[in-house]
Amino acid sequence: MPLDTIGTFSVSRLSILDETGKADTDLMPDLSEDQLIYLYESMTLSRMMDARMLNLQRQGRLGTLPVCTGQEAAFCPAILAIRDTDWFVGSYRELGARLMRGETLMNALLLFNGYEEGNVNPENDRTLPISIVLGSQLPHAVGLAYASRLKGEKDTVALTVFGDGSTSEGDFHEALNFAGVLDAPVIFLCQNNQFAISTPREFQTRSETIAQKAIAYGIHGIQVDGNDALAVYQAVKEAADRARQGEGPTLIEAVTFRMAMHTTADDPSRYRSDDLVASWEKKDPITRFRKYLTKEGIWDDDRQTALEARIKSDIDAAVKEFEQGVEIKPDAPFDHVFGTPAQIIEDQRARFLAELEKEADHG
Amino acid sequence: MAKINMVQALNTTLHDVMEKDSSVLIMGEDVGVNGGVFRVTDGLYEKYGRERAIDSPIAESGILGTAIGMAIGGLKPVIEMQFSGFSYEMMHQLEGNASRMRNRSRGQFSVPLVVRMPYGGGVRALEHHSESKEAFYAHTAGVKVVIPSSPTNAGPLLRAAIEDPDPVIFMEPKRSYRSFKESVSPKDYTIGRAEIVRSGEDITIVSWGAMMRDTLKAVEMIESDTEFSPEIIDLLTISPMDAATIVESVKKTGRCVVIQEAQQSFGPASEIIALINDQALMYLEAPVKRVTMYDVVMPLFAREMMYLPSKGQIVRAIRETLEF
Ligand SMILES: Cc1ncc(C[n+]2csc(CCOP(=O)(O)OP(=O)(O)O)c2C)c(N)n1
């Protein structure tokens, strides 16, 4: 036969919690009560901090801000599914994930008020700073995963997250290809929130799913309900286990929705309808998870009230500290141009400091 | 005549050009339905649909690479890099192909396209949204680099860029997008020609982009207590640089200050000073000064204004050069 079928491929989708909070018990991940509560609290913190930062931005107290409300289940469970010793290589729309990795509330405020100092993660030196150049962080995750293998860390994996729009970049394709070819223990977690600024997913790719792109690179691929915290946890956990066992990389497409604007500079009414947004409100990941926890008898209204009060007071404290103002070293950028001193940079630092003084004198 | 800002000037020009020439199309991230994140392409999708107002996938290399094919194939693509900070993904298509096709084919093929991109600092943006890297592009033979500075020159320069037979990097100073309006009367601008916006005898002051406004204000500040006669040049085209206009001016004034938003080293200011050194050294009565940013990674906005050239710095540089 001149025309043979030489391959057939399929793509799976995982969902565990339905919109009423009912779980498919066969698929339930192995999570303790404490872990479930920690995850729920982290998602709630993400939501509340996001709202507070948006509020501060609207008052002119923060700069341009990406918001992540509605996507909490697409990133928070992923952090629970990996270890602190694994690498986390994020994008910019995963506040809750970063907080779970040890970023402080204060640093989140600092970064979005224009201080590089906010990029420093005091607790985890395996978390890279935010990455704004779309897709550019994916190859880094591959390299980190490869490095940990070569350094003899048999157990370390790298997790990277990015949006649906970023899958159009060459870096996405090159990273998946490198991961496959180098057999790197890396997990690519796509936050398919349906839009890249105004551009809908259908304009990015003619593929029906993003998950299926894994097939072309010979790596594992799966789609999950990205508003289902348990499904995302399970998919990332399985991918991490596989990677630790030397079974290679995975692409996970978490299907979710960006409930608010792209950033505070964006006006979504120009490109999408209120009805579309409303249809996703019913799928809210936090509400759904709470319903599940309540059904299981491990959450109730009193605990909710107490949690919200605690988070609010933590956020209040961080905002207060932030509003008191921070001392910054004006010439810090000169400290970090190179790792070794260069005379021309030091000459410029001197000029900079002299100019700064003149500005102060002359106004 | 109604006053318009730079965004309106660019938008009107695109509408006008696309109406008259059906081979012109726009393509880029969010340029269609959304009208561009700065609204420069507003309304074009409504008029020309997806065929000529293409919301592209997010792939800058793909955008330029495809546009190169379109241009060789007889279209005139005006593509947008959403911010200049995301243009580096297209650099290999620019350096490797767009700039070289004419030479490589000994003129059989040319690549008439325009790459529009907002650039520059002072708008309290996130990382990668504030740099001035005109030198990157200008360092590539075969690529023209144009930077308008006002609503008056933005439209005619964009039109000239679209009509140009070569790839043109058209850098739009985003700080000037909406910061001031002008009543725009039709005026001709030619790519490769600087504009003497004010002629004078005592000192030549050269700038471009958003720094042009600050330079004009700095001159006003000096004039409030000092009588002097500056000759102010708006560079408008970074490459190919209009050496003659600058050199003639310096021969007349004997003094020169160059104001550049970008970092100090390896930029157009260095090039201007080298040209003066070549062609007008003996006419100089003072060393040529440059006011620039520093050779550091562009700081985020908490520190940004400390680093960008300030009006105070411009004033001091001019005074020092006058008094030398
Ligand atoms: C290389 C690059 N090109 C363009 C941009 C400008 N930009 C910032 S966010 C964005 C849309 C990103 O969409 P997606 O990857 O789906 O992530 P989301 O913002 O939806 O989380 C664009 C085009 C950028 N940051 N980097």
Side-chain angles (χ1 to χ4, degrees):
Chain A
M1 242 190 345
L3 190 63
D4 293 331
T5 301
I6 54 167
T8 49
F9 304 98
S10 65
V11 195
S12 315
R13 176 187 168 93
L14 177 68
S15 75
I16 298 177
L17 275 184
D18 72 14
E19 284 174 30
T20 68
K22 198 158 126 328
D24 184 329
T25 45
D26 291 345
L27 297 170
M28 255 323 272
D30 183 19
L31 281 171
S32 70
E33 212 174 289
D34 280 353
Q35 284 177 307
L36 287 167
I37 287 175
Y38 168 61
L39 178 54
Y40 178 73
E41 292 184 348
S42 300
M43 289 166 64
T44 307
L45 170 63
S46 182
R47 175 74 57 95
M48 287 177 70
M49 184 62 175
D50 205 50
R52 183 60 164 271
M53 287 174 76
L54 179 56
N55 190 276
L56 289 169
Q57 198 283 338
R58 290 309 192 211
Q59 295 168 20
R61 289 145 85 189
L62 284 180
T64 309
L65 193 73
V67 278
C68 61
T69 286
Q71 295 182 215
E72 295 85 354
F75 48 73
C76 286
I79 302 301
L80 187 63
I82 61 166
R83 303 171 184 164
D84 283 347
T85 48
D86 291 329
W87 285 95
F88 177 63
V89 184
S91 178
Y92 49 81
R93 198 186 300 287
E94 63 275 336
L95 175 65
R98 288 188 176 277
L99 297 174
M100 289 173 80
R101 290 290 287 188
E103 177 172 307
T104 61
L105 298 174
M106 175 68 173
N107 275 7
L109 295 169
L110 278 180
L111 179 62
F112 289 102
N113 209 30
Y115 297 95
E116 287 82 352
E117 284 75 2
N119 269 327
V120 181
N121 188 318
E123 275 186 29
N124 189 303
D125 59 8
R126 291 196 164 190
T127 302
L128 294 198
I130 69 164
S131 168
I132 293 180
V133 182
L134 299 172
S136 65
Q137 72 275 25
L138 274 65
H140 307 164
V142 178
L144 287 163
Y146 188 79
S148 56
R149 269 303 123 92
L150 218 62
K151 290 261 188 183
E153 289 182 29
K154 294 272 171 270
D155 237 16
T156 301
V157 305
L159 166 72
T160 181
V161 304
F162 49 94
D164 44 300
S166 305
T167 67
S168 298
E169 288 285 2
D171 277 347
F172 165 82
H173 297 273
E174 294 176 25
L176 263 63
N177 194 38
F178 269 67
V181 169
L182 297 179
D183 200 21
V186 56
I187 304 155
F188 300 101
L189 176 60
C190 178
Q191 311 278 299
N192 176 3
N193 65 7
Q194 316 297 326
F195 282 91
I197 309 187
S198 71
T199 308
R201 219 277 302 156
E202 311 82 76
F203 284 15
Q204 296 294 344
T205 173
R206 208 158 137 170
S207 303
E208 241 168 80
T209 68
I210 285 166
Q212 76 199 57
K213 291 177 189 284
I215 295 166
Y217 298 102
I219 68 174
H220 293 276
I222 186 170
Q223 188 183 73
V224 296
D225 179 345
N227 281 12
D228 172 350
L230 298 179
V232 173
Y233 174 83
Q234 185 60 21
V236 176
K237 184 74 173 56
E238 280 175 17
D241 288 348
R242 257 199 314 270
R244 287 189 218 287
Q245 283 153 21
E247 290 168 34
T250 303
L251 168 65
I252 301 169
E253 174 189 6
V255 180
T256 179
F257 194 77
R258 194 191 79 215
M259 294 302 292
M261 63 292 281
H262 167 73
T263 67
T264 46
D266 175 45
D267 170 14
S269 72
R270 286 177 71 94
Y271 54 80
R272 68 185 198 186
S273 71
D274 291 346
D275 286 351
L276 177 63
V277 180
S279 73
W280 279 88
E281 249 153 44
K282 298 192 200 89
K283 302 182 189 174
D284 187 273
I286 297 184
T287 312
R288 191 190 301 192
F289 196 28
R290 179 175 169 184
K291 281 183 189 157
Y292 166 74
L293 296 176
T294 307
K295 276 194 188 128
E296 291 295 301
I298 53 182
W299 199 253
D300 57 31
D301 290 352
D302 287 348
R303 296 190 74 157
Q304 181 72 23
T305 313
L307 172 67
E308 284 174 20
R310 194 179 81 223
I311 293 176
K312 185 175 178 306
S313 100
D314 287 351
I315 296 177
D316 284 347
V319 172
K320 194 165 163 212
E321 187 191 344
F322 164 72
E323 302 265 273
Q324 274 160 2
V326 274
E327 275 222 12
I328 59 156
K329 189 180 175 217
D331 57 328
F334 291 95
D335 296 342
H336 302 288
V337 181
F338 299 120
T340 48
Q343 193 55 48
I344 189 166
I345 302 294
E346 291 313 314
D347 291 348
Q348 290 186 24
R349 186 203 299 267
R351 171 163 79 85
F352 168 78
L353 292 170
E355 290 291 353
L356 215 55
E357 232 165 76
K358 287 183 203 157
E359 294 289 304
D361 290 351
H362 303 296
Chain B
M1 185 180 284
K3 289 186 161 196
I4 59 171
N5 64 33
M6 189 185 287
V7 168
Q8 291 166 316
L10 294 166
N11 182 256
T12 313
T13 304
L14 285 172
H15 274 276
D16 195 44
V17 173
M18 284 182 75
E19 194 179 310
K20 294 194 177 112
D21 184 348
S22 61
S23 65
V24 177
L25 64 78
I26 59 154
M27 177 165 67
E29 295 153 15
D30 306 289
V31 299
V33 177
N34 202 30
V37 293
F38 289 102
R39 310 291 179 247
V40 172
T41 55
D42 199 19
L44 295 169
Y45 173 82
E46 285 74 9
K47 263 198 209 162
Y48 301 105
R50 222 164 120 59
E51 223 168 55
R52 287 177 64 202
I54 305 171
D55 274 320
S56 76
I58 303 175
E60 294 75 14
S61 171
I63 295 170
L64 178 55
T66 308
I68 290 173
M70 289 172 168
I72 295 173
L75 298 177
K76 288 185 192 158
V78 180
I79 61 175
E80 177 178 297
M81 295 290 118
Q82 196 162 82
F83 288 88
S84 66
F86 309 124
S87 69
Y88 313 126
E89 279 71 9
M90 65 154 209
M91 289 302 265
H92 80 104
Q93 287 288 2
L94 187 75
E95 162 63 39
N97 295 307
S99 68
R100 290 165 175 266
M101 197 57 84
R102 176 182 295 287
N103 179 65
R104 184 185 290 150
S105 70
R106 283 294 176 261
Q108 185 180 7
F109 295 113
S110 60
V111 185
L113 57 77
V114 179
V115 186
R116 295 184 33 253
M117 54 172 90
Y119 85 98
V123 297
R124 289 174 60 84
L126 293 167
E127 196 182 355
H128 313 293
H129 294 70
S130 307
E131 288 75 8
S132 305
K133 302 267 190 189
E134 58 270 33
F136 267 18
Y137 316 103
H139 215 86
T140 304
V143 170
K144 295 178 180 171
V145 182
V146 174
I147 302 187
S149 64
S150 71
T152 300
N153 56 40
L157 280 169
L158 180 58
R159 190 184 302 271
I162 296 170
E163 286 164 4
D164 199 89
D166 288 305
V168 178
I169 302 289
F170 192 85
M171 301 179 71
E172 299 164 5
K174 69 176 100 57
R175 183 152 64 96
S176 308
Y177 264 160
R178 296 173 188 279
S179 61
F180 63 104
K181 295 183 169 190
E182 287 174 345
S183 43
V184 172
S185 44
K187 208 169 159 185
D188 269 345
Y189 286 89
T190 309
I191 291 182
R193 288 275 282 283
E195 182 183 18
I196 298 175
V197 293
R198 180 168 157 186
S199 47
E201 306 295 327
D202 299 339
I203 184 169
T204 301
I205 303 170
V206 188
S207 192
W208 57 93
M211 280 296 136
M212 214 44 225
R213 282 286 277 186
D214 292 340
T215 299
L216 293 171
K217 290 211 183 101
V219 166
E220 265 173 43
M221 283 159 73
I222 300 174
E223 282 180 321
S224 70
D225 60 30
T226 311
E227 219 174 281
F228 82 125
S229 163
E231 177 142 304
I232 306 175
I233 297 177
D234 188 344
L235 198 55
L236 296 176
T237 299
I238 303 298
S239 180
M241 197 178 274
D242 183 358
T245 298
I246 298 167
V247 167
E248 282 319 303
S249 173
V250 173
K251 282 183 178 170
K252 178 173 63 171
T253 63
R255 296 168 201 270
C256 182
V257 174
V258 187
I259 298 101
Q260 160 180 295
E261 182 173 329
Q263 69 166 53
Q264 171 181 308
S265 301
F266 315 110
S270 321
E271 193 51 40
I272 290 169
I273 294 170
L275 283 169
I276 295 170
N277 182 55
D278 272 352
Q279 300 176 36
L281 184 66
M282 296 310 173
Y283 296 81
L284 286 181
E285 286 165 48
V288 181
K289 257 196 189 305
R290 55 184 164 167
V291 183
T292 70
M293 221 266 280
Y294 306 87
D295 295 350
V296 298
V297 174
M298 182 75 197
L300 295 186
F301 66 82
R303 291 183 178 85
E304 177 181 36
M305 295 319 278
M306 299 176 193
Y307 280 76
L308 289 175
S310 68
K311 291 193 244 345
Q313 273 170 275
I314 303 173
V315 167
R316 288 192 290 279
I318 295 173
R319 283 197 199 277
E320 282 166 25
T321 306
L322 283 170
E323 287 158 14
F324 185 88

